[in-house]
Every structure is written in C-alpha cells, then in structure tokens.
Amino acid sequence: MAGEQHDDRRHPVADAAGEPGEPGAADRIDAVLDEVGPRLRRIRRERGATLEALSEVTGISVSTLSRLESGQRRPSLELLLPLARAHKLPLDELVGAPPVGDPRVRSKPIVRDGRTMLPLTRRPGGLQAYKLVQQPGPGEPDPRTHEGYEWLYVLSGRLRLVLGDHDIELGPGEAAEFDTRVPHWFGTAGEAPVEFLSLFGPQGERMHVRARPRRQD
C-alpha cells in the first residue's frame, strides 16, 4: 500500500498492561505474566495435549514447558510464538485472558450489492467460514480470480455458479468446491434469494470429508 507506513506491532504484554512509563505499569506487567503459565496449562489440557506432544510440535523442551506453566520460567516471545502456532490461537489470547461465558459468535453482517455475508469464524488464518444470503438482482456474471480454494453448500434457494467454461445451478443440499484461481462468479438462479455456506482457505487447502453415506443399491 502506498503512503507512509507505520509499524503497529507491539508486544502483547505491553498491550495488556499499558505503557511501560505509566504509574504501576511494572506491577501490572508482573500480574499479566503471572497468569500466562496457568493459562497455557489450561489451554493444553483443554486440547488433550501432553507436554511431550507439545514439545515435539514446538521444539521447546519438556522441562522448559513445565517450568513455563508452573511460573518458574518467565514467558518470552521466543516461547510464546511457537506455542501460539501449535494451539492455533492469536498471541494475545495466550497473554491476555480470552473472553469466557457466552460461546456464541457475535459477528456484524457485511451487506454489499444485495449480498449479506455473516462471518462464522474468528480465528485468523486457515479456513474461514461464512453464511451468505444473496438477493436476486440484475446484472451479468463477472467472473474473477484470486488465490485460494472455496467450498460452497446451498441451504435454501438456488445458486448459479459460473466456473470457467461451466454454468452450474445448485439446489438445497448440493455443494461445489473449486480452485479460486479459475475464473468464477456466483449469484441467484431465479427470482428468490439463495442462502448458502462458504468455506474459504489458502491455496491448496481443501475440504476433507471424513465420512460419506453408503450408496444404496
């Protein structure tokens, strides 16, 4: 992006505890750091992981992980970054207490050009899930391309999918998956809205169906 650039990266501990020069900042930082170990232990146990398994994934020794969880080892970015990747959590959630209680995802719908898009996931990176409602409207298909892989599942109505040389109509319960580097466009097929789910991921990341219904002869 053109224009002046600013480095907005900050240490998560500083974000949680305030600016270092503020009165009492040192005490707040110590309080935040004291909570990191128990939080790491809770997250690991919730995921059913052992210290040995976590050590293999992160490259951090079992003894260091144990001392980190017990508070005998001070957390650092060198330790927290591989742990955040292993647990697939934002770094802030390992340092600042994540919200607890209501498990519902409260996302603000995005409305644009007759399409309402509701994000269903909050985790950065990896697969992203959306629920979409497309209203019927004028306009010819305008296929676009971009990096990624997408999976669509129709809940209600009928979805028109233009994919390369194909012009496909999908009904409730039907799904399609495709490489988004292929020119594609989707909209309503008819006079009624269509409601569908979209899973979008980085290039090469596909849906994996673990169980399929048996064919009836």
Side-chain angles (χ1 to χ4, degrees):
M1 180 180 295
E4 185 179 358
Q5 296 183 351
H6 300 276
D7 189 349
D8 293 328
R9 294 170 295 179
R10 298 185 56 192
H11 196 294
V13 172
D15 287 337
E19 296 292 341
E22 293 179 359
D27 292 339
R28 289 195 295 271
I29 290 176
D30 288 339
V32 170
L33 291 175
D34 288 343
E35 294 297 321
V36 172
R39 186 173 299 113
L40 289 174
R41 181 185 292 112
R42 185 182 69 249
I43 291 172
R44 176 178 60 81
R45 290 177 175 175
E46 287 175 351
R47 284 160 168 70
T50 63
L51 288 173
E52 289 77 11
L54 195 57
S55 175
E56 291 183 6
V57 173
T58 61
I60 303 172
S61 69
V62 172
S63 62
T64 298
L65 291 172
S66 178
R67 287 187 289 122
L68 187 62
E69 290 187 357
S70 65
Q72 298 176 13
R73 174 70 181 264
R74 191 176 182 87
S76 65
L77 282 177
E78 289 75 17
L79 296 175
L80 293 175
L81 284 173
L83 287 170
R85 286 194 295 266
H87 292 309
K88 296 183 178 179
L89 286 174
L91 185 58
D92 288 349
E93 290 195 20
L94 295 182
V95 180
V100 295
D102 193 342
R104 292 174 293 181
V105 178
R106 300 184 181 275
S107 300
K108 184 178 180 180
I110 303 169
V111 181
R112 184 180 302 142
D113 299 328
R115 177 177 296 169
T116 301
M117 182 170 66
L118 182 67
L120 300 178
T121 51
R122 293 180 293 184
R123 181 178 299 171
L127 284 174
Q128 301 295 315
Y130 302 90
K131 180 179 179 181
L132 298 99
V133 178
Q134 177 69 53
Q135 300 296 329
E140 292 298 319
D142 182 19
R144 305 291 180 89
T145 63
H146 53 86
E147 291 289 327
Y149 202 87
E150 190 158 6
W151 183 86
L152 303 175
Y153 180 84
V154 180
L155 298 171
S156 63
R158 302 196 69 80
L159 179 71
R160 181 185 177 189
L161 171 63
V162 176
L163 180 65
D165 296 330
H166 301 281
D167 195 335
I168 308 165
E169 188 173 317
L170 303 172
E174 292 187 299
E177 58 177 327
F178 52 91
D179 188 322
T180 55
R181 291 178 298 183
V182 177
H184 61 281
W185 172 94
F186 44 80
T188 58
E191 301 299 325
V194 59
E195 183 178 11
F196 58 103
L197 299 177
S198 169
L199 297 183
F200 176 79
Q203 188 61 45
E205 189 165 357
R206 303 189 177 196
M207 286 289 298
H208 297 283
V209 180
R210 300 189 60 153
R212 298 181 184 275
R214 297 182 60 183
R215 179 179 296 178
Q216 299 294 327
D217 297 326

